[in-house]
Amino acid sequence: MSDNSPTTPPPSLTEVETYGVERIPDADRTATPLDLFRVAFGGANTFSTCVLGAFPILFGLSFWQGLAATILGVVVGALILCPMAVFGPANGTNNAVASSAHLGVHGRVVGSFLSLLTAVAFFSISVWSSGDALVGGAHRLFGMERSTLSYCVAYALFGGLVLAVCVYGFRFMLFVNKIAVTSATVLFLVGAIAFAGDFDPSYAGVFTSSADSATQALFWPSFIGAALIVLSNPVSFGAFLGDWSRYIPADTPRRKVIGAAFLSQLATLLPFVFGLATASIIATKAPKYVDPAAPDFVGGLLAISPSWFFLPVCLLALIGGMSTGTTSLYGTGLDFSSVFPRLSRVQATFLVGALSIAFIFIGRFGFDLVQSISTFATMIITCTTPWMVVMILGFHTRRGWYDPDALQVFNRRQRGGRYWFAHGWNWRGMTAWWVAAVIGVLFTNIPGQFVGPLGDLANGVDISLPLSLAVAAVLFLALLRIFPEPRAAYGPEGARFARTVDAPVPPITGPGAEAADPAPALAGEGR
């Protein structure tokens, strides 16, 4: 038996990654499903996830109601997310590039746009929460003034540190997350000891039997809204899983890759429940910090913390924020180097990082921070989940078969190939995505923050997510049946759940393309 193991050792941590979104060579695909678990869990086992975990309390739920909403959000989000892990090993590239097969050569920019929004949102959350914790901890430990200048310095330094890790690339990011998974878990467990004496699981929230009818009517909108905030965390990884799983060998069993992604999100119940429990303590002991008009979870956490836990809070903010920030920013810089070919991966990372840091300052000092986070997170869910549905159903209709060379047509500034469809757009996938996303926005209902034009039709309950998921699935499959795709877009086994037609495939032309048609149409009518 021949030895197919790589003959060259892995690059060092301090060697800047040179790969963009081109297919990773088989010899360099040395990551494992465990590595995927570490990166995905490490990116969410953070202080910023605690902030999201506090939202059920901020929405007025009791601890047990908040726990139910949290479990619902994490489990549903993990189920939606985990199939997105298979595209990386299958194609050796990221998920936005893989979406060319279902949205078209040009339509893949939808994935790039969604990843940019997600990266900015969660990079901002990590820097905001970690910066606030560091400044607050320094104030309590050393008496440093909590001024606008101190916050600005903390945000700039922390953002710059995250940016530096992203520039070095995947290996350095994996190293950071290996440390983060263990250290953050230990710090959360230490925190459980620190707050055990003050925690009361009977915290009742505002939806008690004595609440007036107007308050009672807000329970389900608040419960669903809290679950959606939690769900936004696992869904936010949908555009990024391929950035990390592309380093996993193609012959790795899919169940292991999917299982690693699913378990990584279930494990985030640790930081979510920590945030939920501590928020209930804050609501009891320092209620001014959970005032809906001006909530401040970080300030409240520091206010109720024993003095010996100030340093662990700062460490948790630093380590966790590094993990979330790097996993958010790395993939977007990687992808935008292909959208703007004049930029290398490093240059694109600097550009996106600079824009994100600017957004952090604008959002922190110019807007309501909590409202900005919850509204932005919900909008990300509404727009990203239909895209993920199209990708997942597309994977099944293609039986997991893709043409890696045709996926790279956009990145090489070429034209044609199996996924050219109509001038580079697959209007079937595009239509299913934007119709479902628009319907989701129309039915969105975030109490007191954003209500779509049709958001009150379900008695104030936000039904945007199940509605957009159902519309995307039904519409996409219907379009594939009514308007069949070219047979050549599918593999040798043909289509599943879809019809196909014989149609010529335009040859790939442009920089570096061969003169001959590399993708002739395959014979046979659809199934």
Side-chain angles (χ1 to χ4, degrees):
M1 179 182 296
S2 61
D3 184 5
N4 295 322
S5 60
T7 57
T8 57
S12 67
L13 294 177
T14 55
E15 180 180 336
V16 176
E17 182 184 6
T18 57
Y19 289 125
V21 292
E22 68 270 18
R23 186 179 185 277
I24 302 298
D26 292 340
D28 291 336
R29 296 169 68 173
T30 57
T32 66
L34 179 59
D35 290 326
L36 176 63
F37 173 89
R38 286 169 173 161
V39 174
F41 176 45
N45 188 35
T46 63
F47 198 72
S48 57
T49 303
C50 297
V51 174
L52 295 178
F55 271 85
I57 301 299
L58 298 180
F59 279 18
L61 301 179
S62 70
F63 171 77
W64 291 111
Q65 292 164 348
L67 181 61
T70 300
I71 293 174
L72 176 64
V74 168
V75 172
V76 173
L79 289 173
I80 295 172
L81 170 72
C82 62
M84 297 297 293
V86 301
F87 293 95
N91 300 311
T93 187
N94 71 350
N95 286 354
V97 172
S99 71
S100 299
H102 310 297
L103 299 178
V105 168
H106 293 152
R108 58 138 291 184
V109 298
V110 170
S112 301
F113 174 71
L114 293 174
S115 68
L116 175 63
L117 292 181
T118 305
V120 170
F122 284 85
F123 177 66
S124 300
I125 293 172
S126 69
V127 174
W128 279 329
S129 57
S130 298
D132 285 0
L134 291 174
V135 171
H139 172 74
R140 295 291 298 270
L141 287 171
F142 310 114
M144 187 186 76
E145 182 181 359
R146 288 191 288 191
S147 62
T148 300
L149 177 61
S150 62
Y151 283 111
C152 288
V153 171
Y155 297 152
L157 289 176
F158 194 80
L161 191 59
V162 171
L163 185 58
V165 174
C166 293
V167 166
Y168 277 107
F170 176 77
R171 300 291 174 186
F172 205 146
M173 185 179 68
L174 182 60
F175 172 73
V176 169
N177 279 276
K178 285 180 179 179
I179 296 175
V181 166
T182 302
S183 56
T185 299
V186 170
L187 290 172
F188 280 129
L189 294 177
V190 171
I193 297 173
F195 297 109
D198 295 322
F199 173 61
D200 181 6
S202 64
Y203 171 75
V206 302
F207 301 107
T208 61
S209 57
S210 60
D212 57 44
S213 58
T215 301
Q216 293 282 9
L218 291 174
F219 171 72
W220 283 112
S222 299
F223 181 89
I224 298 300
L228 288 176
I229 296 285
V230 173
L231 187 147
S232 70
N233 201 58
V235 168
S236 71
F237 288 94
F240 300 124
L241 277 187
D243 300 333
W244 318 318
S245 64
R246 68 196 181 119
Y247 279 94
I248 297 175
D251 59 357
T252 303
R254 288 173 183 167
R255 68 180 185 280
K256 292 185 177 181
V257 179
I258 293 174
F262 182 76
L263 292 176
S264 71
Q265 298 310 304
L266 288 190
T268 64
L269 284 170
L270 174 64
F272 269 119
V273 174
F274 181 87
L276 177 70
T278 52
S280 69
I281 299 173
I282 295 169
T284 302
K285 298 185 64 176
K288 69 177 182 179
Y289 290 102
V290 292
D291 181 355
D296 181 7
F297 171 76
V298 176
L301 183 64
L302 291 170
I304 66 170
S305 295
S307 58
W308 64 266
F309 193 61
F310 291 159
L311 182 59
V313 166
C314 293
L315 290 175
L316 186 60
L318 178 63
I319 296 170
M322 282 288 294
S323 185
T324 297
T326 53
T327 52
S328 297
L329 189 59
Y330 167 78
T332 304
L334 173 72
D335 194 51
F336 266 71
S337 65
S338 66
V339 176
F340 302 101
R342 292 187 178 182
L343 300 177
S344 66
R345 184 194 67 83
V346 172
Q347 292 170 329
T349 299
F350 271 118
L351 174 62
V352 175
L355 292 175
S356 299
I357 292 173
F359 178 80
I360 288 168
F361 284 101
I362 295 172
R364 175 61 174 83
F365 299 109
F367 297 95
D368 183 321
L369 180 58
V370 171
Q371 181 170 335
S372 299
I373 291 174
S374 58
T375 302
F376 204 19
T378 304
M379 291 299 101
I380 288 171
I381 294 174
T382 304
C383 294
T384 302
T385 47
W387 177 81
M388 294 167 66
V389 168
V390 170
M391 291 281 288
I392 294 168
L393 290 178
F395 184 90
H396 284 285
T397 61
R398 304 288 171 84
R399 303 179 186 270
W401 184 91
Y402 294 88
D403 181 348
D405 189 63
L407 291 176
Q408 298 290 336
V409 166
F410 179 91
N411 309 327
R412 299 169 181 165
R413 290 303 179 263
Q414 298 170 336
R415 299 169 62 87
R418 297 180 191 270
Y419 307 130
W420 187 247
F421 299 105
H423 305 287
W425 302 90
N426 187 348
W427 62 269
R428 304 161 190 82
M430 290 290 296
T431 300
W433 168 71
W434 74 259
V435 169
V438 169
I439 289 176
V441 171
L442 292 176
F443 280 88
T444 296
N445 190 317
I446 310 174
Q449 297 179 34
F450 177 81
V451 178
L454 304 178
D456 290 323
L457 291 185
N459 296 321
V461 176
D462 192 324
I463 60 172
S464 59
L465 178 64
L467 196 58
S468 62
L469 286 171
V471 169
V474 172
L475 184 56
F476 183 55
L477 291 177
L479 290 174
L480 291 180
R481 294 290 300 179
I482 299 170
F483 303 99
E485 293 178 322
R487 176 70 174 83
Y490 295 81
E493 297 183 19
R496 178 193 287 141
F497 308 134
R499 296 172 55 236
T500 60
V501 295
D502 288 327
V505 176
I508 296 178
T509 60
E514 297 179 3
D517 183 358
L522 301 180
E525 187 61 32
R527 302 183 179 182

